[in-house]
DNA sequence: ATGGTGGGTTACCCA
């Protein structure tokens, strides 16, 4: 049986990032790649280019904003694009079952609401969206033993995930209500794969385009891979690939990659 | 205290 490699990457426009994505997949032939912020309608999704690279894909997108996808070298079944319990026009969630030789793996690609500023209307929408995600994951966990929720959570779970915790204290991405909602996801029975792998501070996945934040490593860890306990036992490696963030015209996020030993 | 950068579209946008 083979190791299964899964990754997640907020590409901030798949139209702009597709060439970089194809290069990255060639160098990092992961089995599954979840994307966020494709910013494409479904009819504009580059299925042909990805198929030529060996990947089929399920996408849920819209014009200009949001958009999530799951790319896979293995068959995808049971694709779902709904977030129950929330009347939401924004395309922020897609789920599919990856039919791996070692057994089915449920993958959910999520682009959590950014929230703009603590206390704003968008912040309220973020908290409601996270509550609906919790409800949905509760249902999914009752059906799928090997499940991974991956994507841009727009939450830095702890101070060690923030370059300057005092400057970010109770600000968007770091506030207590957001961190409580993130902990609630873990309390459903999910494990933060990166934190199972390492206690190291200063592991970041996002750096603002402004103020040369990447060069100065002013980052936050807001992209995550959450796995069920049976999957957590199979995790052998978790890493953030800084390579794509060094590209010209990069996404502001870096990919997170997880290796799973055979079941 | 502000604004900076880079996606998107042509907006009092979104991150």
């Amino acid at each position: 049986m083979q190791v299964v490699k899964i990754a997640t990457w907020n590409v901030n426009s798949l139209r702009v990032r597709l060439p970089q994505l194809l290069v990255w997949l060639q160098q990092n032939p992961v089995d599954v790649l979840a994307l966020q912020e494709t910013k494409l309608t479904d009819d504009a999704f580059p299925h042909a280019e990805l198929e030529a690279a060996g990947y089929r894909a399920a996408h849920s997108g819209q014009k200009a904003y949001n958009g999530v996808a799951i790319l896979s070298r293995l068959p995808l079944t049971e694709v779902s694009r709904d977030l129950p319990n929330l009347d939401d026009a924004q395309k922020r969630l897609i789920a599919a079952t990856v039919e791996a030789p070692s057994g089915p793996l449920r993958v959910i690609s999520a682009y959590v609401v950014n929230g703009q500023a603590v206390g704003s209307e968008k912040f309220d929408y973020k908290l409601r969206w996270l509550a609906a995600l919790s409800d949905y994951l509760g249902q999914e966990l009752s059906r799928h033993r090997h499940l991974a929720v991956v994507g841009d959570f727009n939450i830095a779970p702890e101070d060690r995930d923030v370059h300057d915790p005092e400057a970010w204290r109770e600000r968007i991405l770091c506030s207590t209500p957001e961190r409580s909602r993130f902990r609630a996801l873990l309390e459903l029975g999910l494990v933060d794969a990166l934190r199972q792998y390492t206690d190291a501070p200063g592991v970041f996945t996002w750096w603002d385009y402004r103020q040369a934040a990447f060069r100065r490593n002013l980052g936050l860890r807001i992209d995550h891979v959450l796995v069920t306990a049976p999957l957590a036992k199979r995790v052998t490696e978790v890493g953030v690939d800084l390579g794509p963030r060094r590209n010209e015209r990069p996404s502001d996020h870096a990919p997170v990659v997880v290796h799973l030993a055979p079941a």
Side-chain angles (χ1 to χ4, degrees):
Chain A
M1 289 287 199
Q2 296 274 11
V3 170
V4 174
K5 299 179 185 178
I6 67 173
T8 182
W9 190 10
N10 178 325
V11 290
N12 187 18
S13 171
L14 186 54
R15 207 186 299 278
V16 171
R17 237 60 72 186
L18 182 61
Q20 295 180 38
L21 175 66
L22 293 171
V23 168
W24 190 81
L25 283 174
Q26 201 159 36
Q27 296 168 345
N28 303 270
V30 294
D31 298 286
V32 181
L33 174 59
L35 302 179
Q36 300 84 37
E37 284 206 88
T38 59
K39 299 185 176 179
L40 295 174
T41 51
D42 291 347
D43 62 296
F45 191 84
H47 285 286
E49 291 89 336
L50 292 168
E51 272 165 30
Y55 291 84
R56 68 207 79 195
H59 179 243
S60 180
Q62 65 186 86
K63 193 170 159 185
Y65 305 112
N66 310 312
V68 286
I70 298 172
L71 280 48
S72 176
R73 300 165 58 145
L74 299 159
L76 291 175
T77 60
E78 280 188 274
V79 176
S80 168
R81 294 170 173 83
D82 296 320
L83 183 57
N85 305 323
L86 191 72
D87 185 19
D88 189 15
Q90 302 194 12
K91 305 297 189 188
R92 298 179 170 277
L93 188 90
I94 189 166
T97 300
V98 176
E99 301 295 344
S102 52
L105 169 63
R106 188 68 169 168
V107 175
I108 299 170
S109 175
Y111 174 47
V112 176
V113 177
N114 172 282
Q116 193 178 52
V118 174
S120 67
E121 270 183 38
K122 286 173 186 168
F123 185 73
D124 183 59
Y125 168 45
K126 181 177 197 171
L127 297 185
R128 286 187 288 111
W129 201 92
L130 285 163
L133 179 64
S134 267
D135 290 348
Y136 173 64
L137 293 180
Q139 296 172 31
E140 286 283 296
L141 286 165
S142 69
R143 290 175 196 142
H144 307 280
R145 188 173 150 74
H146 288 215
L147 179 148
V149 191
V150 310
D152 177 0
F153 287 73
N154 268 316
I155 301 172
E158 300 179 77
D159 280 355
R160 59 183 167 167
D161 302 312
V162 181
H163 67 90
D164 184 346
E166 291 314 318
W168 283 84
R169 186 75 60 212
E170 295 303 335
R171 300 191 65 139
I172 196 67
L173 314 180
C174 299
S175 73
T176 299
E178 292 165 84
R179 287 179 170 177
S180 297
R181 290 294 203 286
F182 186 84
R183 274 200 309 279
L185 301 180
L186 301 182
E187 283 160 11
L188 291 169
L190 292 165
V191 175
D192 180 342
L194 188 284
R195 279 302 168 223
Q196 174 182 265
Y197 185 74
T198 177
D199 286 326
V203 178
F204 306 136
T205 66
W206 170 80
W207 301 259
D208 200 298
Y209 283 122
R210 295 164 283 193
Q211 299 178 321
F214 182 65
R215 182 177 55 72
R216 300 158 65 201
N217 199 25
L218 307 181
L220 273 67
R221 188 174 72 96
I222 58 175
D223 299 87
H224 307 295
V225 173
L226 308 186
V227 295
T228 52
L231 258 196
K233 288 183 193 148
R234 294 172 53 194
V235 171
T236 57
E237 200 174 314
V238 183
V240 180
D241 184 354
L242 301 182
R245 191 63 180 79
R246 297 191 183 102
N247 288 346
E248 277 186 49
R249 281 193 95 183
S251 167
D252 45 351
H253 295 252
V256 182
V257 184
V258 173
H259 293 193
L260 301 169

